[in-house]
Amino acid sequence: MTLNFGMDRWSSVLGMNRRNALVDMENPPEAVRLVNNKHETKVTLAKAGVPVPTTIALLRGRGDLSRFGWDALPESWALKPNLGRRGAGIVLATGRDREGWRTASGHPLSRADVSDHLRRVLDGEFSLEGAERDLALFEPLISTHEDLARLVPHGLPDVRVICHGDEPVLAMMRLPTLASDGRANLHQGAIGAAVDLRSGRLTAAVHGRSRIDHHPDTGERLLCAEIPHWQTIVEAASRCAAATGLGYLGADIVVDEARGPLVLEVNARPGLEIQNVTRTGLRTLVAASPTANVAVTLAG
């Protein structure tokens, strides 16, 4: 996504170089390693009282796969590589099928299919560069809160909250489309919507390079839609810094119909496209922080 600020507002934008300098200054290597590990991050956040998805099963190697109790899996679940990035290697089962389960698009997903995929996950095929092995996590499938589910054709909307320390400074919601195949990634065709930090209302929406008012697939009006449990979302995001040791982060949060807000991921190097969605520069917001050395660095 290309930033399109007016000339008089470019000074407020956090560019790639300054973002990287900020990350290097604010995020210790051990904290970055922690949040790159989904399982360890979940354990750490849960200990700090931050809501996270439960873990149905954790496979640490092919030995665990050979002994795996398939009957323990529920009708619907999400399978994730522990060190995966950008959604690579994730498999979602939405219900049972005669041969095992089925995907959201209705395709059958047999036990043999899942076993083959698990071997690829455990061999590190979907993991961070340099990882030769990985763990595989099964989690309950998120059931999107009805207020958000009606906005999208299918898939899981999420909220990205940028925090500097324990202070949320900017937020957007990412809404799947048919073009994004139900994924909430902006670069794959999802919608980015600016969120007012005080109220949780959507104030603007961007699809590709176009400003929109309604979802192109469902026709639902996006502007002024309210995100449920907003205060809980903000509180969960604000607690991620102290829990993980990161000074600058992006918290990705979903709203489950039964469990409410859940932190899916904490990013040590969140992307910059949120500035274009919200038309608000992160450089100004972060430089206004009480952290003096950061303010000086970003001012130059």
Side-chain angles (χ1 to χ4, degrees):
M1 182 176 292
T2 303
L3 293 173
N4 56 10
F5 284 75
M7 291 298 293
D8 60 332
R9 301 177 67 189
W10 271 108
S11 62
S12 70
V13 174
L14 184 66
M16 187 73 71
N17 290 340
R18 282 192 173 89
R19 192 280 308 270
N20 292 343
L22 174 64
V23 168
D24 290 342
M25 181 184 301
E26 294 279 301
N27 295 345
E30 60 272 18
V32 175
R33 286 193 291 271
L34 169 65
V35 299
N36 284 339
N37 185 309
K38 289 183 175 61
H39 176 63
E40 292 300 326
T41 300
K42 284 174 58 176
V43 171
T44 300
L45 292 177
K47 287 181 179 178
V50 179
V52 294
T54 57
T55 299
I56 298 172
L58 176 67
L59 282 72
R60 298 181 180 274
R62 291 203 175 199
D64 286 349
L65 176 56
S66 66
R67 297 184 295 270
F68 187 56
W70 292 95
D71 293 338
L73 287 180
E75 290 192 1
S76 59
W77 42 260
L79 165 59
K80 302 178 180 180
N82 185 49
L83 302 177
R85 297 187 67 183
R86 293 184 175 273
I90 293 178
V91 172
L92 305 178
T94 60
R96 289 204 178 272
D97 188 85
R98 286 182 300 177
E99 298 183 6
W101 299 269
R102 61 179 178 275
T103 66
S105 57
H107 293 300
L109 191 62
S110 68
R111 183 181 297 187
D113 293 331
V114 180
S115 293
D116 288 342
H117 189 79
L118 280 168
R119 292 186 186 95
R120 297 169 66 193
V121 170
L122 295 170
D123 289 345
E125 184 172 331
F126 307 102
S127 308
L128 294 167
E129 185 176 352
E132 297 180 358
R133 292 179 296 176
D134 200 357
L135 312 182
L137 293 88
F138 283 97
E139 297 176 348
L141 189 68
I142 301 297
S143 178
T144 305
H145 191 285
E146 61 178 357
D147 290 352
L148 301 178
R150 66 177 177 80
L151 299 178
V152 299
H154 63 91
L156 182 63
D158 69 8
V159 179
R160 163 71 58 86
V161 183
I162 302 293
C163 296
H164 189 214
D166 61 2
E167 181 181 0
V169 296
L170 205 57
M172 71 173 172
M173 169 157 272
R174 300 180 296 192
L175 301 113
T177 64
L178 293 177
S180 72
D181 193 27
R183 297 181 181 271
N185 300 104
L186 300 188
H187 70 279
Q188 293 180 326
I191 295 166
V195 184
D196 179 76
L197 275 174
R198 291 186 177 182
S199 66
R201 290 190 180 92
L202 307 188
T203 60
V206 177
H207 188 211
R209 296 187 177 182
S210 301
R211 293 268 156 180
I212 60 173
D213 295 336
H214 297 76
H215 195 291
D217 303 317
T218 64
E220 291 285 342
R221 180 171 172 80
L222 301 177
L223 301 193
C224 296
E226 294 188 18
I227 300 175
H229 304 294
W230 179 247
Q231 193 55 45
T232 303
I233 290 173
V234 173
E235 291 172 358
S238 69
R239 296 167 74 176
C240 289
T244 63
L246 296 176
Y248 179 74
L249 60 88
D252 293 343
I253 303 173
V254 296
V255 186
D256 183 76
E257 180 67 36
R259 296 193 59 199
L262 301 170
V263 176
L264 284 191
E265 191 169 355
V266 179
N267 300 274
R269 196 177 295 268
L272 300 170
E273 67 274 10
I274 190 172
Q275 298 175 104
N276 202 41
V277 170
T278 61
R279 295 190 66 80
T280 302
L282 279 165
R283 182 180 175 187
T284 300
L285 294 173
V286 174
S289 163
T291 310
N293 60 338
V294 173
V296 170
T297 300
L298 294 178

